[in-house]
Amino acid sequence: MTTIAVLPGDGIGPEIAAPAVQVLGELLGSQVEFTEFVFGGASIDAHGTALTDETLAGCRAADAVLLAAVGGPKWDTTDPNAPRPEQGLLGIRKELGLFANIRPVRPIPALYSASALKPEIIEGTNLVVVRELTGGIYFGEKTRTATSASDLCSYTTDEVDRIARVAFELAGRRSGKLASVDKANVLETSRQWRQVVHEVAADYPAVELEDVLVDNCAMQLISRPSSFDVIVTENLFGDILSDEAAMLTGSIGMLPSASLGTPGTPGLFEPVHGSAPDIAGQGIANPLAMFLSAAMLLRDGLGRPVEAAALESAVDAALADGLRTADLGGSATTAEAVTDVLGRLH
Ligand code: NAD
């Protein structure tokens, strides 16, 4: 029996988590069991902490974790000692050892007009950003005096090796092109990153590796995004480049993501967007990023590529036939979007 831990979280989270469970249930039938756990702000309200031991244990025991979104004004605070919903996110990534963040960017032809770029530039774009998630400057030592501050950026060769392998494996399953993004003309961490990536490349002779400086990559993502396939980069560069790449699609309500650890540990699958407190409770949230996250869970978390492709095709077809929720300029409700996609699964 396959088990999926479901973390609905806050805001629109429960409104999009329930339909995703429905869709996964439809695709996997009785072979799957869902267990729901309280997480984020909802967990703070119930237990005083964003991530309880019970939720963590439930996620560890599952084959994959499906998360909607956390946070909201109710838990915004300037009190450094008060619990915050985002602590749940950081906690679960750390506890599950999720070091690889995978964000596919595949603008859907029916939505080209929603992008800030011209259709002829985004046409044919189908890329994935693989971001190292647990090392680098975000986790290095921090210092602060009245007149200076510093953040240490450090990586071990093992950390670079394992993220590089995730990216090479992925590139090997796709078109076989990998861009490794660094700032090797300036940074020592980048020079070592580049060296390790080239050592790993020897194990993947079928993958074509290209080194790209981060500033150049930022420009090329806007000028010719369709030239990229898989992009692998360190934590800070990946944070910025994945948000830049996300804008190619024109709507945040469309983007899925996966965070993966070592084989054998459950991956975490979630939409890129937040809990959208401004529209929570109105029944108008776009469930498609959540559905596409469920598709990533099927492919990368459970090894079910056929069901993943069926779900992605259903989303594409619904959009091609005109499905538009409010964030896409239309008037379809969440329930109407769910019915539309569910009806196309077979
Ligand atoms: P957000 O992504 O929640 O919302 C940004 C805008 O996009 C809003 O106008 C919202 O209505 C819209 N939007 C987002 N998802 C949508 C969807 N599925 N359908 C329709 N419209 C959608 O970002 P924000 O407003 O900056 O943050 C709101 C809360 O979410 C904050 O508490 C923030 O900390 C949290 N957050 C959580 C995560 C996460 O759980 N991984 C990520 C980002 C932000």
Side-chain angles (χ1 to χ4, degrees):
M1 174 69 78
T2 298
T3 54
I4 299 176
V6 181
L7 312 179
D10 311 313
I12 60 167
E15 297 169 44
I16 56 173
V21 166
Q22 206 181 342
V23 161
L24 286 169
E26 187 75 23
L27 286 164
L28 297 173
S30 57
Q31 307 156 44
V32 66
E33 191 177 271
F34 298 95
T35 349
E36 196 175 301
F37 296 96
V38 67
F39 187 62
S43 178
I44 292 175
D45 288 351
H47 305 289
T49 174
L51 175 61
T52 63
D53 291 346
E54 191 199 346
T55 295
L56 182 59
C59 292
R60 270 195 219 284
D63 294 295
V65 182
L66 184 66
L67 164 67
V70 298
K74 182 176 178 192
W75 303 281
D76 282 348
T77 169
T78 50
D79 175 359
N81 298 317
R84 285 176 292 110
E86 293 74 17
Q87 287 166 339
L89 289 176
L90 295 178
I92 202 158
R93 284 177 188 152
K94 182 164 168 270
E95 292 296 332
L96 296 181
L98 304 174
F99 64 86
N101 184 244
I102 319 250
R103 276 211 211 171
V105 177
R106 185 180 56 101
I108 294 168
L111 299 180
Y112 278 2
S113 60
S115 170
L117 297 187
K118 294 189 189 112
E120 59 266 33
I121 291 185
I122 43 175
E123 194 171 11
T125 298
N126 182 350
L127 62 88
V128 182
V129 180
V130 178
R131 166 189 169 194
E132 201 291 325
L133 202 57
T134 54
I137 199 164
Y138 291 176
F139 293 88
E141 188 196 350
K142 298 171 192 315
T143 70
R144 172 107 177 239
T145 70
T147 53
S148 75
S150 72
D151 299 277
L152 179 70
C153 180
S154 82
Y155 268 105
T156 66
T157 51
D158 284 350
E159 285 172 325
V160 181
D161 184 283
R162 66 183 184 176
I163 189 78
R165 286 182 194 281
V166 169
F168 275 104
E169 295 281 344
L170 185 60
R173 292 197 299 273
R174 291 171 49 98
S175 79
K177 264 180 60 184
L178 176 63
S180 171
V181 174
D182 61 37
K183 188 72 182 169
N185 52 344
V186 179
L187 300 176
E188 206 52 54
T189 41
S190 280
R191 281 190 278 273
Q192 189 173 61
W193 171 283
R194 194 175 279 205
Q195 185 185 327
V196 174
V197 169
H198 280 260
E199 284 164 12
V200 173
D203 292 341
Y204 300 89
V207 175
E208 183 194 328
L209 171 66
E210 181 192 14
D211 299 303
V212 185
L213 292 173
V214 63
D215 35 355
N216 183 12
C217 182
M219 289 193 291
Q220 286 194 46
L221 271 175
I222 298 298
S223 61
R224 45 187 199 105
S226 60
S227 68
F228 289 105
D229 181 20
V230 179
I231 295 173
V232 63
T233 191
E234 58 101 80
N235 202 345
L236 170 64
F237 298 161
D239 192 4
I240 299 166
L241 292 178
S242 56
D243 269 15
E244 185 192 356
M247 282 314 294
L248 301 171
T249 63
S251 174
I252 196 160
M254 294 301 306
L255 290 161
S257 79
S259 299
L260 307 176
T262 46
T265 53
L268 176 77
F269 301 85
E270 58 178 320
V272 167
H273 64 72
S275 58
D278 53 336
I279 59 163
Q282 297 177 28
I284 58 167
N286 179 351
L288 299 183
M290 190 68 181
F291 286 170
L292 295 173
S293 304
M296 288 190 85
L297 181 152
L298 287 165
R299 183 180 288 108
D300 300 324
L302 303 182
R304 307 286 294 248
V306 174
E307 289 83 354
L311 179 48
E312 285 163 352
S313 302
V315 169
D316 281 6
L319 288 166
D321 284 349
L323 172 68
R324 298 286 185 276
T325 40
D327 57 308
L328 300 175
S331 59
T333 62
T334 309
E336 285 163 352
V338 172
T339 305
D340 192 337
V341 173
L342 271 175
R344 294 169 191 269
L345 284 180
H346 299 293

